[in-house]
Amino acid sequence: MKNIFALFCFIAVNLSFSQKKQDFTVTSPNGKIKVTVSVNDKISWSISSGKDLILAPSEMSLTIDQNEVLGKNPVVLNSKKESVNTSFETPLYKKKSVQNHYDQLTVNFKNDFSIEYRVFDDGAAYRFVTKKKKDITVKWENVSLNFDQDYSTLMPYVRDLRNPKDQYISSFEAHYENKKISEFSKDTLAFLPFLIDYKNHKKAVFLEANLEDYPGLFVTNNKNKSGFESRFSKYPTKETNGGFNNINRLISERADYLVQTKGTRNFPWRAIVIAENDADLANNDMVQKLAEPSKIKDISWIKPGKVAWDWWNDWNIYNIDFKAGINTQTYKYYINFASKNKVEYVVLDEGWSLEEDIMKHNPNVDLEALIAYGKEKNVCLILWSSWMALTKNTDGILKNYADLGIKGFKVDFLDRDDAKMVNSVYDISQKAANHKLILDFHGMYKPTGIQRTFPNILNFEGVKGLENNKWTPNDDVPLYDTTIPFIRMIAGPMDYTPGAMRNATKSEFKPSHSTPMSQGTRCHQLALYTIFEAPLQMMADSPTAFMKEQESTDFIAKVPTTFDETVALNGEVGKFVSIARKKGNTWYLGAITNWDSRDITIDFSFLEKGKKFQAEIFSDGVNADKAAVDYKKEIITIDSNSKIKYHLANGGGLAMIIQ
């Protein structure tokens, strides 16, 4: 009887203790952003920026084996605060190094788990940490995002019909829909990153980082339509071939859990970037700061650069004496073009091999001859592969082609971010690194920091890029182009594939398979090479088209793909953006607008004081409103005191090289 009474007292004391409300606070180094963590029968956090409530109290929990909920009736053991102010080198990025300055609160709970909260001057993040001795099965994670008002959002919704029965099969390509929180599209999902507009010059972008051995986060409306709650794709147990050309792996059966994983581990970061000025969003390092450091010790072999691409222009070269197509002569032509213009790579997209077996070549493509020819011309080759074909024998395939002299792979049609796919991406990345191969993940979910962990990954799609111009006449591309630098680009590089030399006004644009065009002006396209982050950057149009426009091609060829410094000059989400980036002693500047023409002023105060610079400038021509190919090139002298007004035409742009 005494033992029963003692047990009852023990349970009562612990329940009382766990349900007693405890609050913890941690602020950003500059004191502007404050995170409050509340613990009673549940765990929640809220975020304020100055006097503004960015995130209302929002719960978090993790459900594991036997439906144990880490976050239900939690018992705090202790807490710890610390301040960190370090930096790390980022040689394959938009700047040489990243300052990593934050204050951290770690709350340790009974049942072997903790939650870490980090607060930066530009946002906040949290993650679960478990210290279980045995492996665990994660059944669910509750990520809640609540708001005190019905704010406007910019949401990328899942809109992929390849497998309408499973919303988690997605190309992760979508325009942003401007809707109130309460107007979230019914019975659908949105993927990250997305933006909340607080209507007081403040905006927040919601992200995740360090996604390893775990599925990606989606959101849907919560029951009160006052915020969002998490959704995840559960672990696939049965897969079938399907989708485009039958080269996707569609899910026919899923388990009742998210992942079976190590019991002692760090879980993905749930992060919020907060900005008082839109331009600050266009130069943010949150994902880099939360990512795991490089697992590759020697990265000297990793070469960023530009790529002459075949697929977008449909191998459409002409004024030649051979039949253009997927054949050796055509690719030698691409190699000659790349060599002449100091373009580092040529990609052989789909068709160079059998799609289901990339160890079997198209007989019209002499791959070994092309590798040798490229070496002679100082041009390296990258091969396209579907994810499905590559994963039939990943290590064997990568070794075979690395031994032949191939320098990398463009891996396509992943179209999922369940834990099995995420683990496959890590596996491919490690094996590619073992064979000194670079990677471009096309048909891919958004990056979450793995590009820092595996620097041989130079680009990702997860963006509605230029390829869509071949078949979507109703897309508002200039609107999208002026939106993604503030949202999607925060997550990481974008394989958008710019470079159209056939440029069209809004009224003249039309889709074309073999002679595709872009929406907006020539200078809009030129500016994208500076604005869009892409260490491996495509040149989408055909060599013939580029050679007809050699002046524009010379400009593109001179713009590097990684930089030492980035300055976001000005911008407004969905309207315009201007960015300057420095490499060595040379600055590169790009500005673009949506379909509204506008005058912008470039303030050159970012330049070194007391020094004169020569600026090579491509600006919209006076007739660019009717002929989008119209531009003006000039060379002028400027210094740090210069402030110059430029007119951007409808869908226009501005591009400069300053040295």
Side-chain angles (χ1 to χ4, degrees), residues 87-209:
S87 63
F88 55 88
E89 298 301 305
T90 50
L92 296 167
Y93 190 50
K94 60 187 175 186
K95 56 190 68 171
K96 270 186 177 180
S97 65
V98 168
Q99 192 71 22
N100 196 19
H101 191 193
Y102 61 87
D103 283 0
Q104 178 166 301
L105 165 70
T106 302
V107 184
N108 298 308
F109 297 91
K110 188 179 178 182
N111 294 335
D112 302 316
F113 80 98
S114 306
I115 304 179
E116 296 176 354
Y117 302 88
R118 287 186 186 174
V119 192
F120 305 83
D121 289 343
D122 58 354
Y126 79 86
R127 69 176 174 185
F128 276 86
V129 178
T130 55
K131 295 181 180 179
K132 303 284 187 181
K133 294 181 180 179
K134 298 180 179 179
D135 289 352
I136 59 174
T137 298
V138 179
K139 297 291 189 71
W140 194 249
E141 182 184 356
N142 175 27
V143 181
S144 296
L145 301 171
N146 298 322
F147 302 91
D148 64 335
Q149 295 180 37
D150 194 11
Y151 297 113
S152 293
T153 73
L154 286 173
M155 281 280 182
Y157 289 96
V158 174
R159 287 284 190 270
D160 202 312
L161 301 178
R162 270 174 272 192
N163 187 12
K165 295 181 180 179
D166 191 336
Q167 286 182 296
Y168 297 101
I169 302 296
S170 173
S171 62
F172 299 91
E173 301 173 28
H175 285 292
Y176 295 92
E177 297 188 28
N178 190 344
K179 296 181 177 181
K180 297 283 190 182
I181 293 171
S182 62
E183 296 171 343
F184 190 98
S185 297
K186 186 179 179 182
D187 299 325
T188 191
L189 304 171
F191 54 90
L192 279 55
F194 64 86
L195 179 143
I196 302 291
D197 185 352
Y198 293 90
K199 298 301 181 186
N200 58 357
H201 302 296
K202 288 184 181 176
K203 293 183 174 68
V205 173
F206 292 77
L207 310 136
E208 63 179 338

Side-chain angles (χ1 to χ4, degrees), residues 33 58 67 104 145 223 236 311 339 378 386 451 457 488 503 510 521 552 606 653:
I33 298 175
S58 301
N67 293 319
Q104 178 166 301
L145 301 171
K223 293 178 181 178
W311 180 89
S339 179
N378 199 30
S386 70
Q451 66 272 21
I457 306 174
R488 164 60 181 82
N503 316 110
K510 60 182 179 180
T521 69
S552 295
F606 58 87

Side-chain angles (χ1 to χ4, degrees), residues 359-371:
M359 294 297 283
K360 295 179 180 178
H361 300 178
N362 180 336
N364 296 319
V365 177
D366 188 337
L367 187 60
E368 292 189 27
L370 289 173
I371 294 169

Side-chain angles (χ1 to χ4, degrees), residues 306-345:
K306 285 183 285 295
V307 188
W309 186 29
D310 52 5
W311 180 89
W312 190 77
N313 54 77
D314 194 29
W315 298 265
N316 188 6
I317 57 176
Y318 47 93
N319 296 330
I320 52 177
D321 58 2
F322 59 88
K323 184 66 175 175
I326 305 174
N327 57 51
T328 303
Q329 286 178 299
T330 297
Y331 282 120
K332 283 188 174 182
Y333 187 94
Y334 278 79
I335 291 170
N336 287 336
F337 162 75
S339 179
K340 179 182 176 182
N341 292 282
K342 296 182 173 57
V343 175
E344 293 84 353
Y345 296 97

Side-chain angles (χ1 to χ4, degrees), residues 15-42:
L15 283 175
S16 174
F17 180 66
S18 68
Q19 292 172 0
K20 182 181 178 182
K21 191 172 184 295
Q22 295 174 273
D23 285 341
F24 305 85
T25 61
V26 57
T27 58
S28 59
N30 65 8
K32 289 185 177 181
I33 298 175
K34 178 181 176 182
V35 166
T36 300
V37 179
S38 297
V39 182
N40 43 32
D41 58 333
K42 296 177 181 177

Side-chain angles (χ1 to χ4, degrees), residues 579-646:
I579 296 175
R581 304 187 195 274
K582 187 180 183 183
K583 184 78 167 184
N585 295 319
T586 303
W587 283 92
Y588 304 84
L589 187 149
I592 55 173
T593 183
N594 57 13
W595 277 127
D596 296 328
S597 64
R598 71 184 68 244
D599 293 327
I600 65 170
T601 298
I602 300 296
D603 181 344
F604 292 93
S605 58
F606 58 87
L607 296 174
E608 181 183 344
K609 289 178 171 50
K611 182 179 177 182
K612 297 291 184 181
F613 294 84
Q614 295 295 308
E616 178 186 354
I617 303 170
F618 283 69
S619 57
D620 291 326
V622 294
N623 296 303
D625 59 331
K626 290 185 177 180
V629 295
D630 188 31
Y631 67 87
K632 176 185 177 181
K633 178 187 174 183
E634 59 182 333
I635 296 176
I636 65 172
T637 299
I638 58 173
D639 60 27
S640 61
N641 295 315
S642 300
K643 291 181 177 64
I644 305 177
K645 182 181 289 187
Y646 292 94

Side-chain angles (χ1 to χ4, degrees), residues 340-498:
K340 179 182 176 182
N341 292 282
K342 296 182 173 57
V343 175
E344 293 84 353
Y345 296 97
V346 169
V347 65
L348 278 63
D349 214 290
E350 65 171 334
W352 70 271
S353 70
L354 298 185
E355 288 195 344
E356 69 276 6
D357 186 353
I358 62 170
M359 294 297 283
K360 295 179 180 178
H361 300 178
N362 180 336
N364 296 319
V365 177
D366 188 337
L367 187 60
E368 292 189 27
L370 289 173
I371 294 169
Y373 191 69
K375 187 175 182 180
E376 177 186 326
K377 296 287 187 176
N378 199 30
V379 176
C380 298
L381 299 188
I382 296 170
L383 300 178
W384 177 93
S385 173
S386 70
W387 169 82
M388 187 175 70
L390 183 61
T391 52
K392 288 181 177 179
N393 178 18
T394 304
D395 200 54
I397 291 170
L398 295 177
K399 182 181 187 306
N400 174 76
Y401 287 110
D403 290 347
L404 284 177
I406 291 298
K407 296 302 180 183
F409 273 85
K410 176 182 177 181
V411 187
D412 206 349
F413 291 103
L414 290 79
D415 291 342
R416 294 162 30 201
D417 67 351
D418 52 61
K420 186 174 182 180
M421 179 58 75
V422 171
N423 287 341
S424 178
V425 169
Y426 274 80
D427 179 66
I428 292 169
S429 303
Q430 180 64 68
K431 289 174 178 175
N434 294 343
H435 297 292
K436 295 188 175 181
L437 291 168
I438 61 172
L439 292 169
D440 173 12
F441 280 112
H442 210 66
M444 169 72 171
Y445 58 87
K446 82 282 179 186
T448 59
I450 190 176
Q451 66 272 21
R452 182 185 172 200
T453 311
F454 288 100
N456 59 319
I457 306 174
L458 292 180
N459 215 348
F460 304 80
E461 197 179 19
V463 67
K464 195 172 178 65
L466 192 71
E467 67 180 21
N468 291 271
N469 284 25
K470 288 165 71 81
W471 56 72
T472 52
N474 297 320
D475 282 356
D476 188 336
V477 177
L479 170 64
Y480 186 66
D481 290 352
T482 53
T483 301
I484 51 178
F486 305 98
I487 305 177
R488 164 60 181 82
M489 201 165 71
I490 297 180
M494 305 184 299
D495 196 15
Y496 180 98
T497 70

